[in-house]
Amino acid sequence: MSRTVEIVVGLFLIAGFAAFAFLAIQVSGLNPTATQGDTYTLVARFNNVAGLNQGARVTVAGVQVGRVAAIRLDPLSVRAEVEMHINDRIDYLTDDSIAAIQTSGILGEKYIAISIGGSPDILGNGDRIRETQSALVLEELVGKFLSNMVNK
Amino acid sequence: MLNAIALLGRYGLNRLATLGRAGVLFVAALWGRPTLRPGLSLLVRQLFNAGVLSLVIIVMSGLFVGMVLALQGYTVLVRFGAVEALGQAVSLSLVRELGPVVAALLFAGRAGSAMTAEIGLMKATEQLVAMDMIGVDAVRRVVRPRLLAGIITMPLLAQIFNAVAIGGAVLVGVKWLGVDSNAFWVNMRESLSFGEDILNGIIKSLVFGVIVSWIAVFQGYDSEPTSRGIGEATTRTVVYSSLAVLGMDFLLTAMMFGVD
């Protein structure tokens, strides 16, 4: 009897830890095999990064290649400077690539989409993407639209 | 008039003394080096009572809670054409709130009341006194394993509840209502972080485990040794621990996810 109890309790503990492991790996995406591994850093300056968060996705053609590591204000140009960590395997971003802040869906989260250009020079660690496109601020657009309506 | 004030004062002092006794019992139960020989097998027995026997109700309610959440979430999200966010909605509300809280409430009803009744009956039949007579520390032998078992099982039960509920949500959302399975899982993974959500959920259920089992063992230990007294103590366990869990949940949520 006591032996059966011990075995059942052991099973219970295993079930509890298995549920925890399931939640940790499957649900929160804490997957040790899927860590991005080695990365290199790129920076880009935007006029407006409204809504972009640290940790946001960086994509090429819709495929995630990195994350936003830091966002700060560049004191000289007074523009937003975004630091991105890009996966080491993506070593073919040209120096005429364009970084644009886009939104997934109308209300979705902001991410950075990089479109690769045709230049033979490749961006390396610490390089800056020169061509950028700022975040689309919906309120500004609506404001412009409304003032147009009034002026007519 | 003066009598009424005196009565109020006596009532307050009695309450205070009860709280003090509860604190003393808690410390006395956990004080001292844990013993391996009888301690471990007593603990295993209580893990069985508190954990394994609560498993059925936890799994069944988890399944239904997950299914209901998915159904409710779907009917709202489908209006905005955002059914892909179902995984996110379900898992966030489960891991942060519903999992720990509902599991704790079920635990209070299933295991907490049983603990109170058992200890209360031991007291009424003078088993606790008898233990003291033969030199066995009743608090260490009876209260400690139950308290520890409650603290250990609560987080595990909450995790099982969460996992099963997400399974139930998949069943309804993906298998039945036809939400894209990939979008469901990816959205869930994107929105939940391990440190912020899952660990905080576990901290919550640990706190609830301490609260519920502490109230349960204390109400049993402090109960009036009559059949009516045991009944009242059992009711008090369920009522007090439910209220304490919900109130504590607000404080913990404000601490963990509050606007700072």
Side-chain angles (χ1 to χ4, degrees), chain B:
Chain B
M1 184 61 201
L2 222 57
N3 259 346
I5 294 174
L7 216 62
L8 195 70
R10 191 173 307 149
Y11 177 78
L13 285 179
N14 279 343
R15 285 282 121 143
L16 208 61
T18 311
L19 191 67
R21 280 204 301 280
V24 169
L25 181 73
F26 187 73
V27 174
L30 296 184
W31 193 261
R33 205 138 42 88
T35 50
L36 199 62
R37 265 302 285 133
L40 197 65
S41 65
L42 286 173
L43 180 64
V44 167
R45 167 53 81 177
Q46 291 313 316
L47 282 176
F48 181 80
N49 283 350
V52 179
L53 294 183
S54 308
L55 216 49
V56 174
I57 188 172
I58 289 282
V59 167
M60 288 310 288
S61 359
L63 191 66
F64 285 121
V65 166
M67 286 163 74
V68 167
L69 275 182
L71 201 55
Q72 288 281 15
Y74 184 86
T75 52
V76 173
L77 289 171
V78 78
R79 278 195 232 163
F80 304 105
V83 286
E84 284 76 21
L86 188 65
Q88 183 174 344
V90 168
S91 61
L92 269 182
S93 45
L94 271 175
V95 170
R96 284 186 174 182
E97 284 300 330
L98 282 173
V101 171
V102 176
L105 294 179
L106 292 171
F107 182 78
R110 171 65 188 78
S113 57
M115 278 185 205
T116 306
E118 201 182 355
I119 297 180
L121 200 66
M122 279 182 175
K123 191 179 180 187
T125 52
E126 295 178 341
Q127 292 181 43
L128 297 183
V129 182
M131 277 182 197
D132 278 338
M133 294 294 279
I134 59 170
V136 174
D137 188 347
V139 171
R140 285 248 196 111
R141 186 171 176 92
V142 174
V143 175
R144 178 194 266 177
R146 286 174 175 74
L147 199 58
L148 284 180
I151 296 170
I152 295 171
T153 47
M154 195 63 256
L156 297 175
L157 287 175
Q159 296 311 304
I160 293 174
F161 184 93
N162 282 341
V164 173
I166 287 173
V170 171
L171 203 67
V172 169
V174 176
K175 295 269 184 286
W176 180 22
L177 295 170
V179 175
D180 179 51
S181 143
N182 201 33
F184 185 92
W185 287 111
V186 167
N187 267 323
M188 196 183 273
R189 234 166 277 174
E190 294 262 301
S191 57
L192 249 76
S193 74
F194 178 76
E196 183 125 330
D197 297 314
I198 294 189
L199 279 190
N200 274 345
I202 289 176
I203 292 173
K204 268 189 181 179
S205 51
L206 252 178
V207 173
F208 296 162
V210 173
I211 291 176
V212 172
S213 40
W214 182 13
I215 292 179
V217 291
F218 173 70
Q219 290 298 346
Y221 195 77
D222 206 52
S223 68
E224 199 186 317
T226 60
S227 32
R228 212 188 66 176
I230 295 171
E232 280 171 357
T234 313
T235 311
R236 273 203 302 273
T237 293
V238 177
V239 172
Y240 288 175
S241 36
S242 306
L243 287 178
V245 162
L246 292 172
M248 203 62 201
D249 181 48
F250 174 73
L251 291 183
L252 287 174
T253 306
M255 257 167 60
M256 289 165 176
F257 308 108
V259 200
D260 35 16

